Amino acid sequence: MTRLPDLPGVLSAAQMAATAGAIADIQLRSGQIPWHAGGHADPWNHTEAAMALLVGGRRADAERAFDWLQRVQASDGSWANYYVGQAVEDPRRDTNVIAYVATGVWHHWLVTGDRAFAEALWPTVARAV
């Protein structure tokens, strides 16, 4: 079992578990993590939520989130601004967020040391960068 962070006076392990549980509750079967139930998702906040899932002890859910990023990445390495379920809500690209997947994969590496995961995601990161 993953040891959850416990920052006395700031965030308890129980609060971290509850937060990760709330994120997992709105995560779609596809792995996409919208802002809220029924809301849209964007690559930046989606990646942040995946990192929170990992820290919250929900590794499989976090990895499903990265799988979703891999599946919907455009051939030029970008993602649309917003997605709702299977649909693109806003097809524009925001260059500020495109390479943020690299932060998420690096975070996964720092937390897990899982080289195979990092190598599997490397093509996604390389296209984004």
Side-chain angles (χ1 to χ4, degrees):
M1 170 103 192
T2 302
R3 182 170 176 215
L4 299 182
D6 188 19
L7 305 167
V10 178
L11 180 73
S12 70
Q15 290 169 318
M16 185 67 229
T19 299
I23 294 168
D25 286 346
I26 64 166
Q27 185 177 28
L28 306 181
R29 295 184 84 182
S30 66
Q32 182 190 96
I33 306 170
W35 288 13
H36 54 82
H40 62 224
D42 70 84
W44 182 286
N45 288 299
H46 174 89
T47 300
E48 287 284 332
M51 293 189 300
L53 286 170
L54 185 60
V55 172
R58 305 206 51 147
R59 182 173 176 170
D61 294 327
E63 291 178 358
R64 274 191 320 118
F66 284 102
D67 289 343
W68 178 81
L69 283 170
Q70 282 186 304
R71 286 193 312 277
V72 301
Q73 186 180 36
S75 61
D76 67 0
S78 69
W79 286 271
N81 276 358
Y82 298 110
Y83 299 83
V84 175
Q86 302 281 344
V88 172
E89 181 184 54
D90 180 352
R92 293 176 298 165
R93 305 310 202 231
D94 182 349
T95 57
N96 183 53
V97 305
I98 300 298
Y100 200 62
V101 66
T103 302
V105 172
W106 180 242
H107 176 264
H108 190 284
W109 165 259
L110 292 174
V111 172
T112 69
D114 185 344
R115 183 180 178 107
F117 177 86
E119 288 176 350
L121 267 288
W122 183 249
T124 301
V125 171
R127 279 191 305 276
V129 172

